[in-house]
Amino acid sequence: MTTSSAPGVAASQVSPLRQRNVQMVFLGRLAVFMADVIQDVALIWIVWELTHSSTATAIASMSSRTPLWLFSLPAGAHADSAPPRRTIIAANLVCSVLALLVAGLSKLGWVDVPLLCLFAFAISTCRTFEAPSFYSLVRGLSHEGVDTQQLNGIADTAKRTARLTAPLLANALRSVTSLFNLYAFIGLFYAGMAVAGRRLEVRDFRSERKQRKGLVADLKEAMGVIRQQPALQYIIVAECLFNAAYGACYYVFLPRLTLDTTGGGTSGHASAVTAFGIGGLVAGFFSTRLKMGRHALAYATAAWISIGGAFGLMSFATSLPVIVLLTAVAGAAMAIQTIALWSGLHAACPAEHSGRVYSIWRLGADTAITVSTLTAGVVADAFGPSIPIGVVGIYVFFAILLARRFTVGREVKLSPTP
């Protein structure tokens, strides 16, 4: 990025929020995450209303998670070989049509649980291909005065805004219309991302367009890039180790602490989740002013340890307000961590390989969350949540430091001194 020209200097003095790409990123990502969150709750509500079966509800939820496992790696390879803007527009248009079809078919009485799961699977498949393409697209959106870190911060702020507001909107709509009509709003939100994608001004960010060589060859090539970049190794290893703790704490131990141990019930858990979102939203907004640059991994390291520490301190908390406060701290640190990781990935990964590296990272991270969540349920039933969440806090501290020591720390030690 050059700033030597007069127009570049003038642009750098303009608030990022006044630039068209930044506005489209925020509005587009807000729309797509609103659609995602509303679909998640609508799917659960509809299946429960139709079946009153926890098993059926769990299967429906899995139908929207399965594409992440099946298609994450092919989606990354596709993102490196196809224009990402075209993929984003097409994927969200298809999601919009599918959601509107659900709403239309429900009027005819043709929607049952298996068909609804099929639609959820199809929408999630499109979103699986869209995510790495958007991650790659950020490289081509930068203008003078707006770097990838700021764009990542804007996108993360939109995500956290949607997580706060979408459930409230869905609940409000549910009181005035049928559950199936929520899919009409979902379709409109996905269409909003497609419209925003058309209005993005994207620069060419690749020195060459990667030719597809087959999935195995593509992955071998991406793994070769990772082996050559200790920073990428650290991001992937540390994120997998951290998510093994995060999944257990956020999805199992925190609900048990707020619902049962402190006697907060559903309102207590809702307060903690809201605090997590508010902390992330505030930190995400202010993080756009941070100049992480080459220090992005240091910010990520501090954030990982802060999240683990916040959860670990809940082991000693005896009241709901303290747990809510610690959850807000964890949410703020999570926002910093997410933005720092994306910035670190952009800095360390060549543009031609960004989609595949992103998919490898997300596949490992999502796997860690799934496994830890299932394991934590058994642990919480056996020992309660307080002791395990304290142990997890200690684990995060040492796991992150060891991951750093054996990846980027090794690179510093072996590098010649000037």
Side-chain angles (χ1 to χ4, degrees), residues 189-410:
F189 279 124
Y190 279 129
M193 181 64 236
V195 172
R198 286 184 57 85
R199 300 187 65 183
L200 289 172
E201 299 173 359
V202 185
R203 297 179 177 181
D204 188 13
F205 61 94
R206 293 179 175 131
S207 59
E208 60 177 320
R209 184 62 50 80
K210 189 193 75 66
Q211 299 297 319
R212 298 291 293 273
K213 304 175 182 177
L215 183 59
V216 175
D218 285 339
L219 293 179
K220 285 183 177 179
E221 189 175 352
M223 290 302 297
V225 173
I226 294 171
R227 283 193 293 269
Q228 295 171 9
Q229 292 286 345
L232 294 178
Q233 298 170 26
Y234 175 55
I235 290 171
I236 294 172
V237 172
E239 179 74 343
C240 291
L241 292 174
F242 167 76
N243 274 7
Y246 172 70
C249 291
Y250 187 78
Y251 294 107
V252 180
F253 299 143
L254 179 62
R256 280 289 299 271
L257 283 171
T258 53
L259 289 166
D260 180 40
T261 305
T262 61
T266 55
S267 61
H269 181 242
S271 298
V273 172
T274 301
F276 188 86
I278 292 174
L281 185 62
V282 173
F285 177 78
F286 284 103
S287 68
T288 59
R289 301 178 180 273
L290 297 175
K291 298 299 181 183
M292 296 182 183
R294 293 179 298 175
H295 303 292
L297 294 188
Y299 278 95
T301 300
W304 273 318
I305 293 175
S306 297
I307 299 166
F311 280 124
L313 289 174
M314 292 180 190
S315 179
F316 305 99
T318 58
S319 66
L320 180 63
V322 175
I323 291 178
V324 170
L325 177 61
L326 290 172
T327 307
V329 173
M334 177 65 78
I336 300 296
Q337 174 249 21
T338 301
I339 297 165
L341 283 190
W342 278 56
S343 300
L345 280 167
H346 279 127
C349 182
E352 290 76 17
H353 305 277
S354 56
R356 287 165 293 161
V357 171
Y358 169 88
S359 293
I360 291 172
W361 167 51
R362 287 312 313 163
L363 182 61
D366 289 336
T367 301
I369 287 180
T370 302
V371 173
S372 67
T373 301
L374 295 174
T375 304
V378 177
V379 172
D381 285 338
F383 301 100
S386 297
I387 294 177
I389 203 170
V391 173
V392 167
I394 298 172
Y395 155 81
V396 170
F397 178 80
F398 287 103
I400 297 302
L401 291 184
L402 286 173
R404 186 178 179 87
R405 167 66 180 82
F406 288 104
T407 52
V408 292
R410 181 180 57 190

Side-chain angles (χ1 to χ4, degrees), residues 114-148:
L115 184 60
L116 193 62
C117 290
L118 181 62
F119 273 102
F121 181 90
I123 291 173
S124 181
T125 298
C126 293
R127 292 287 291 117
T128 300
F129 276 85
E130 194 255 19
S133 291
F134 177 80
Y135 163 76
S136 298
L137 184 78
V138 169
R139 292 179 182 268
L141 294 177
S142 298
H143 286 282
E144 288 83 355
V146 182
D147 56 23
T148 56

